[in-house]
Each structure stands twice: as structure tokens, then as C-alpha cells.
Amino acid sequence: MPYITDMALNLWRCVMKRAEARWCLYRSLYNSSHGFNESEVKRKLAELSGGSVKLCKGENGIAELGISNSSRKNALSGTMMLELEERISDLEKWKEGKGLIVYGTEDTFCSGGDLNTIKAISNAKDGLMMCMFMQNTLTRLQRLPLISVALIQGKAIGGGAELCTACDFRLMTEGSEIRFVHKHMGIVPGWGGASRLIQLVGSRQALKLLSGALRIPPEHAISIGLADGTLSSAADSALEEAQKWITPYTKGAANVTRAMKKLIVCGREHLFEDAIRKEKDIFATVWGGPSNLQALSERTKYN
């Protein structure tokens, strides 16, 4: 791009690095000051194996994160919880990334925590450590500078329902459902799902869904703002249709898409004055950058 000088590029890169460094401070909710022993909880989860979490990064900047534990309806074992955290760490470092599709294999999204894992950490201390670990993980998922979509085929229940709320959008196939069944297990959501649900549908609707453990089919989910669309594809092509759905939102330069997502995270998580100050910082990472200058030089039309 002939209109961009080396000096301008170097200045833009320095600003970007400083902004990224500040952003890193907000990735995790808990550390040792909160009584969270990350190494200990990881050691215990590593002993509880089963299933896998796979990550595939596309050249188009859209990644696919697959939850697979077919014998357990894609419930998350201890090792899968660790793998999920590792995949999110990988995505945090993916500078070319723009979008993410989270899905489950075998026509099921996710049925929460694997009962064998839950029983093995059923005491109060271990349960709290697992709760903080998964809150950290799903909050980092929600804060990724990627536009994320949960592709819900079959059931998203319990912790699986909480997982789908950590994505920006939710697409549901015909016959699928979201259901917060925690009440029937004698517990409440602990992975941040209740707080995110309130943000999505409001406190009154959230209370109905949680206290009633209601089945939420696609039509109902769309009507209350929990889902963003219904896919009519067969199971084997739903992922391809989800790719088509997310593509318009991820067109263009990666740094601009990522900056746009960061604006939303800041506006959602911070008080107004703090949010607009952070908006200023993020704005500085793209103003005068390559994509901005190229658009100016080409007099890009957008109507």
C-alpha cells in the first residue's frame, strides 16, 4: 500500500501492542488472591479422562471448535475441560482469527459436565475450584476478539446451555433445544450461565427458564432473544450453513473485526465512562492502520 509510510506503520503497531497488553489484564476472573488454586484443579481434572475438544482454524479466519464425547452425549469430562481452556488460549493468540463456530459432534451440542467427573469432585472445595476454572474459561471464550456462534444441534442442556451463552450468537437446527436443568440436579448454574442468560433475555425470562427448567425449542428461543436463527440443514451440512451465516459478519480485515468485538465486550462489561474510555483505546488501534488508510486511498463506498 503506497500511501502508508514505514513510520505510520511502526506507530500503529506500537499502539496495537499496548492495547493488546492492556486487554490481556481482563482475560481471567480468578487467581490465587481469590483462593483459586489453578494447578491443583488442573491436576484433578487431568485424572478424569474421556472425549476431546478439537480446534480447526480456517484460512478464511473462521475457526471450528468441536465438542466430542459421543458415549456421554458430549458431556465435558475433566480432560475436556482442560482441552477447552487450552483451545481458547490458542485462539487468544490467533491474530488472523475473525470468527468461531462452537459445535458438538454426533448431532448433540453438549450435555454439561460428565457425571463421572462431577461425582469425582462432588465435595464443596473441589466443586468451587471447578466452578472458578470453568467461569474463567467461558469468560475468556466470551471475551475472545472473535465473533462467535454456537451451532446447537440436538440438546444443549445444563452446562451445555451455559456454554452456548458464552458465544455471541446461537443458531439452532430443527428439533434442537436449550435447557437449564440445574434445578433437577439440586444445583444452580455455576459456569456463569445465569448471569449471561440475564444479559441475553432479561431477569424475568431468565427466572422462568431457570426455575422451570423449561425446554426451549428454536421458535421460543428466537422469540425471547436467546437464539438468532434456525437452520434447516441436515446434520451433516449444518456446519457448512453456519459458516455461510457467520461470513457476512467476518468480512474484511481481521484487525477491524477484532477491534469491533472488543468494543462490544467493553460496552457490556464496564460502566459507561470506563467503556467509552476503552472504546477510545480500541479506536486508536485501527485509526490510521492499514485497512483504514487503504479505504481512504480507494475512497471505499459502503452504501
Side-chain angles (χ1 to χ4, degrees):
M1 288 168 276
Y3 295 89
I4 303 174
T5 66
D6 290 340
M7 183 178 295
L9 267 177
N10 289 333
L11 177 60
W12 174 79
R13 286 168 181 153
C14 288
V15 172
M16 191 68 172
K17 286 180 180 179
R18 288 197 295 268
E20 288 288 343
R22 284 194 294 271
W23 189 258
C24 290
L25 297 175
Y26 299 95
R27 283 182 178 163
S28 294
L29 296 172
Y30 304 109
N31 53 44
S32 58
S33 67
H34 303 98
F36 179 53
N37 189 332
E38 185 174 17
S39 60
E40 178 64 15
V41 69
K42 283 186 172 182
R43 183 189 66 78
K44 290 185 177 181
L45 292 176
E47 297 172 351
L48 305 167
S49 61
S52 63
V53 179
K54 303 295 185 182
L55 177 63
C56 177
K57 299 175 186 174
E59 293 182 0
N60 59 355
I62 300 173
E64 297 174 353
L65 185 72
I67 309 297
S68 179
N69 192 3
S70 57
S71 64
R72 297 284 180 176
K73 297 182 179 179
N74 290 344
L76 298 176
S77 66
T79 54
M80 289 175 71
M81 293 179 189
L82 294 176
E83 288 183 8
L84 179 61
E85 191 264 348
E86 291 169 1
R87 304 299 177 258
I88 291 170
S89 294
D90 191 354
L91 289 168
E92 287 171 341
K93 301 169 186 174
W94 189 33
K95 301 303 181 184
E96 297 78 24
K98 297 185 289 183
L100 172 67
I101 301 172
V102 181
Y103 70 100
T105 61
E106 303 292 334
D107 201 24
T108 298
F109 183 71
C110 176
S111 58
D114 177 17
L115 286 182
N116 288 339
T117 295
I118 300 306
K119 289 177 181 177
I121 54 174
S122 60
N123 65 77
K125 179 182 176 182
D126 288 344
L128 183 60
M129 289 298 108
M130 183 271 293
C131 170
M132 288 193 281
F133 178 80
M134 288 302 292
Q135 279 195 13
N136 269 352
T137 299
L138 295 189
T139 299
R140 288 168 59 191
L141 169 59
Q142 187 177 32
R143 290 173 174 172
L144 282 173
L146 308 173
I147 296 175
S148 58
V149 175
L151 170 57
I152 302 170
Q153 298 174 271
K155 298 180 185 297
I157 60 176
E162 295 193 64
L163 171 60
C164 80
T165 65
C167 294
D168 299 314
F169 302 107
R170 279 146 297 282
L171 298 176
M172 302 178 70
T173 58
E174 294 180 359
S176 63
E177 69 175 51
I178 302 171
R179 191 180 185 192
F180 295 84
V181 297
H182 304 74
K183 173 183 177 180
H184 295 318
M185 300 295 294
I187 58 174
V188 298
W191 295 355
S195 298
R196 291 189 296 269
L197 184 64
I198 291 169
Q199 289 182 333
L200 290 168
V201 304
S203 58
R204 290 176 65 252
Q205 285 287 357
L207 182 59
K208 290 179 182 179
L209 301 182
L210 295 176
S211 63
L214 303 180
R215 299 178 188 273
I216 315 165
E219 298 78 10
H220 186 194
I222 291 172
S223 70
I224 62 176
L226 182 57
D228 300 274
T230 303
L231 302 183
S232 56
S233 301
D236 57 353
S237 58
L239 194 54
E240 181 180 347
E241 190 173 349
Q243 281 272 357
K244 292 179 181 178
W245 189 94
I246 196 176
T247 295
Y249 304 104
T250 57
K251 282 184 177 179
N255 69 306
V256 176
T257 300
R258 294 164 68 85
M260 200 72 69
K261 171 62 185 290
K262 290 178 182 180
L263 289 180
I264 300 304
V265 173
C266 284
R268 179 177 61 227
E269 297 193 10
H270 298 279
L271 295 174
F272 181 73
E273 289 187 2
D274 291 334
I276 60 174
R277 291 191 184 103
K278 292 184 183 300
E279 184 171 323
K280 174 259 299 177
D281 292 338
I282 297 169
F283 173 80
T285 69
V286 293
W287 182 264
S291 297
N292 178 221
L293 294 180
Q294 183 176 7
L296 290 174
S297 69
E298 296 175 353
R299 297 184 179 182
T300 300
K301 294 182 180 181
Y302 47 84
N303 56 358

